[in-house]
Amino acid sequence: MSELKNIYELFNLQVIRAPEKIAIIFNDCTKTYQEIYFEVDRLSAYLSRSGITKGDKIAVLLPNCTEFVILMVVAAKMGIAIVPQNISHPTQTLAKQFSLLGVKYGVIWEDVLTDYQDQKQRQLFDFEWLAVSRDGFMYKKNNCSPFSIVNVSPDLPYIYTMTSGSTGDPKPIELLQITKIKRAKATVEMFGLSADDIILAATPLYHSLAERLVILPLITGATSVIMAGFTAVEWLSHVEKYQVTFTMAVSSQLKQVYQLLQDGNDSNLSSLRCMVSSSELLDDDLRKSLLVYFKNDFHECYGASEVACISGISAVDSKIKIGSVGRALPNVQLKIFKDDGIEAEINEIGEIACKTPLAFTGYYQKPELTQAAMHNGFFCTGDYGRLDKDGFLYFHGRKKDIIVTGGINVYPKDIENIINTHPDVLECAVIPLPDTNLGEKVTAIVVPKNDDLSIRNIQRLCAKNLADFQQPREIIFVAALLKNEMGKLVRKKLVEEYTNRVEL
């Protein structure tokens, strides 16, 4: 056995230390460390009897549930890798992704199992499924003999995460057990977490953020609280009811939580010692407003699935460095590269790149894509940004989202930041639409807070604060922006929708 412990061994240390301590809370049901241990042992035995061995890959189509977490521990114990995906993705897309990875077996939610059992679907998925119901794994537990532990190094592949979403060619990120352990421990060290913490996971478990928030407590002896699905009401209720002390939330969730608090929700949030906002940077006014309700230590971070968090900023620093996503985290190096590959000067915009011990192994069986993502040993994030003289990073948007209008590069984020300052704007997205003269025209899709907002209001604001080439050529009011399950804007589909409208 390697001197380095894998996730299961770290979990087992907590079982020995405090077997009766609550490990997981889900839907008002609790599981102790010892109960999780026995469930892991039974499922490991069942999968072993089904022919699953070290190095195999298992598809996971489950909503947030305790069984998802048990399967994560089982994978660590057996040395298998899981491929978690969103149940709502089209079956053709999932079949393509699972085929690429050579998936041998699947674990699936009972409610959707019938969709994968007809003759047509069996041709797409040439492996067996183990169903999970609201009562647990659907197998005869008394027939499962003990599973013999094999030599499982933490250097084995553990989780494959797809970056392409529900469309496009699969681009699997390979993450080792040791990488997940390092990411969890980095979070522990950064925010001073311990076995006394109660940690809330409120995003889908097939996403790396929630995975970290359940691995972290299981290897440190803390308690994990898992939400079945996010609503602001339930989030506040969970924090108060279970006395949550730490969580990492995506910024879109915190926007909804703030609206509820502003509307008079009086949840007691005093237990929350530390909170981290990830995904998109909060605007300055929202951050200030949130801190009226959250008296705890508050941080924001920036990163990517391939490299985890690479920069962070505290509430104190964000008051000084307005608009920054922070400085490089410990053991992380940040650089900005221009399009010609030369390192950018201070405050010069280019692609954000990083070097970190928390990086992924590569894109599975796609060495050319892995190599293309690297430059001089640094991972290139695909995001534009700049570094100031003090080393603070500023995010200027995705490279793929850049608008080229009249031959000039326009960064949508710069325009969105201005439009979002209007008191009657809830949120907005700036996208390119085809234009005969300019090639692409800057178009603002705006969600008003009320009926007081007019297109002329937006035009005046932009004229005052933006250059001529940044001015939106069209402004469209909508009731809501299309977002994915993580609350991120689905910009590609937004562009497609309004491009089709223009063509019609």
Side-chain angles (χ1 to χ4, degrees):
M1 179 68 71
S2 167
E3 291 184 3
L4 291 172
K5 289 181 169 60
N6 62 37
I7 289 170
Y8 172 74
E9 291 172 308
L10 293 170
F11 160 75
N12 199 36
L13 290 176
Q14 308 311 319
V15 177
I16 295 168
R17 186 183 66 84
E20 299 303 321
K21 182 174 181 178
I22 294 173
I24 297 174
I25 303 173
F26 176 75
N27 276 352
D28 287 332
C29 296
T30 63
K31 290 276 188 182
T32 66
Y33 272 88
Q34 189 169 64
E35 288 171 331
I36 296 292
Y37 171 84
F38 288 135
E39 288 279 358
V40 167
D41 196 46
R42 284 191 288 265
L43 181 58
S44 299
Y46 177 84
L47 292 177
S48 178
R49 193 158 57 88
S50 300
I52 306 303
T53 60
K54 183 168 67 172
D56 286 340
K57 302 180 184 70
I58 291 183
V60 183
L61 292 177
L62 295 176
N64 281 13
C65 57
T66 302
E67 288 72 26
F68 199 130
V69 183
I70 290 169
L71 184 59
M72 290 173 65
V73 183
V74 167
K77 179 179 182 179
M78 297 183 68
I80 60 179
I82 60 172
V83 187
Q85 280 288 281
N86 186 342
I87 292 175
S88 66
H89 281 349
T91 53
Q92 293 278 359
T93 300
L94 292 174
K96 185 177 182 180
Q97 294 175 347
F98 296 153
S99 175
L100 171 70
L101 286 159
V103 165
K104 185 176 179 179
Y105 196 81
V107 180
I108 192 168
W109 192 237
E110 182 190 24
D111 291 357
V112 298
L113 179 59
T114 53
D115 297 337
Y116 291 80
Q117 286 184 319
D118 61 34
Q119 186 175 0
K120 182 180 178 181
Q121 299 306 329
R122 282 189 173 277
Q123 292 173 352
L124 289 175
F125 303 92
D126 59 347
F127 50 81
E128 295 298 317
W129 295 96
L130 168 63
V132 177
S133 73
R134 288 164 180 80
D135 296 321
F137 293 100
M138 297 176 66
Y139 59 79
K140 294 182 179 179
K141 298 178 181 179
N142 58 350
N143 289 338
C144 299
S145 57
F147 169 72
S148 299
I149 296 177
V150 294
N151 183 13
V152 176
S153 166
D155 292 325
L156 285 174
Y158 179 52
I159 291 179
Y160 289 92
T161 299
M162 302 292 179
T163 63
S164 59
S166 59
T167 60
D169 291 329
K171 192 177 174 184
I173 298 172
E174 183 177 83
L175 297 169
L176 309 180
Q177 277 203 53
I178 190 64
T179 306
K180 281 291 192 178
I181 292 169
K182 286 179 179 179
R183 290 183 179 188
K185 288 187 173 181
T187 305
V188 169
E189 293 171 7
M190 198 179 313
F191 303 112
L193 304 179
S194 72
D196 296 327
D197 278 298
I198 300 171
I199 299 169
L200 177 63
T203 52
L205 280 167
Y206 56 78
H207 190 271
S208 58
L209 176 61
E211 290 163 3
R212 189 185 323 165
L213 290 174
V214 295
I215 290 173
L216 190 158
L218 288 178
I219 66 175
T220 59
T223 296
S224 175
V225 178
I226 303 170
M227 288 182 62
F230 174 83
T231 69
V233 172
E234 284 299 306
W235 191 93
L236 288 167
S237 173
H238 275 63
V239 171
E240 179 176 22
K241 184 174 183 178
Y242 301 115
Q243 293 293 286
V244 170
T245 61
F246 175 79
T247 190
M248 298 178 76
V250 295
S251 52
S252 60
Q253 292 176 337
L254 294 181
K255 290 178 184 178
Q256 296 176 56
V257 167
Y258 167 67
Q259 288 297 325
L260 202 59
L261 292 170
Q262 195 178 37
D263 291 341
N265 183 289
D266 59 355
S267 298
N268 185 344
L269 307 175
S270 60
S271 66
L272 202 53
R273 179 182 59 79
C274 181
M275 183 167 65
V276 182
S277 173
S278 65
S279 187
E280 296 179 355
L281 186 72
L282 296 169
D283 68 64
D284 192 47
D285 289 339
L286 177 58
R287 186 188 306 105
K288 290 176 182 177
S289 299
L290 273 171
L291 292 175
V292 172
Y293 298 98
F294 294 98
K295 307 298 184 182
N296 52 272
D297 196 12
F298 187 87
H299 298 262
E300 292 179 79
C301 65
Y302 161 79
S305 296
E306 290 92 338
V307 289
C309 295
I310 58 174
S311 74
I313 190 166
S314 67
V316 174
D317 283 340
S318 65
K319 294 177 182 178
I320 303 168
K321 298 289 186 176
I322 297 172
S324 173
V325 292
R327 281 194 273 206
L329 295 177
N331 303 313
V332 175
Q333 297 178 53
L334 292 178
K335 286 190 177 183
I336 305 295
F337 292 115
K338 296 187 291 185
D339 290 342
D340 59 7
I342 303 299
E343 189 172 350
E345 300 292 333
I346 290 173
N347 283 321
E348 188 175 13
I349 295 175
E351 185 170 3
I352 302 169
C354 69
K355 186 180 288 188
T356 169
L358 308 183
F360 71 142
T361 311
Y363 299 114
Y364 179 74
Q365 291 192 348
K366 292 183 178 290
E368 71 289 348
L369 288 180
T370 305
Q371 185 60 37
M374 304 301 294
H375 181 65
N376 292 347
F378 281 71
F379 173 76
C380 299
T381 62
D383 293 339
Y384 276 123
R386 61 183 172 87
L387 286 167
D388 71 11
K389 62 181 179 63
D390 299 315
F392 280 85
L393 178 67
Y394 295 78
F395 174 74
H396 284 267
R398 299 286 294 163
K399 281 183 70 175
K400 64 182 181 182
D401 296 333
I402 196 170
I403 301 171
V404 183
T405 181
I408 301 175
N409 289 350
V410 174
Y411 304 100
K413 189 69 177 173
D414 295 346
I415 304 169
E416 290 166 357
N417 287 343
I418 294 300
I419 295 176
N420 282 329
T421 63
H422 195 288
D424 295 326
V425 170
L426 182 62
E427 59 183 344
C428 75
V430 173
I431 62 173
L433 290 183
D435 185 87
T436 305
N437 297 319
L438 298 171
E440 293 179 334
K441 67 177 178 180
V442 177
T443 305
I445 314 297
V446 180
V447 181
K449 282 184 182 177
N450 51 54
D451 295 335
D452 295 335
L453 188 67
S454 69
I455 289 176
R456 187 62 182 151
N457 294 150
I458 302 298
Q459 289 172 333
R460 288 197 189 101
L461 179 67
C462 291
K464 183 178 180 181
N465 294 280
L466 297 169
D468 288 347
F469 62 88
Q470 294 175 305
Q471 302 298 318
R473 304 296 173 178
E474 184 176 6
I475 299 170
I476 302 169
F477 286 177
V478 297
L481 297 176
L482 182 62
K483 296 182 179 180
N484 65 16
E485 63 282 347
M486 287 293 291
K488 290 186 178 181
L489 179 71
V490 187
R491 200 179 293 266
K492 180 179 179 181
K493 290 187 177 180
L494 198 62
V495 172
E496 290 174 355
E497 177 183 344
Y498 285 96
T499 298
N500 292 337
R501 185 211 58 168
V502 169
E503 290 174 348
L504 292 173

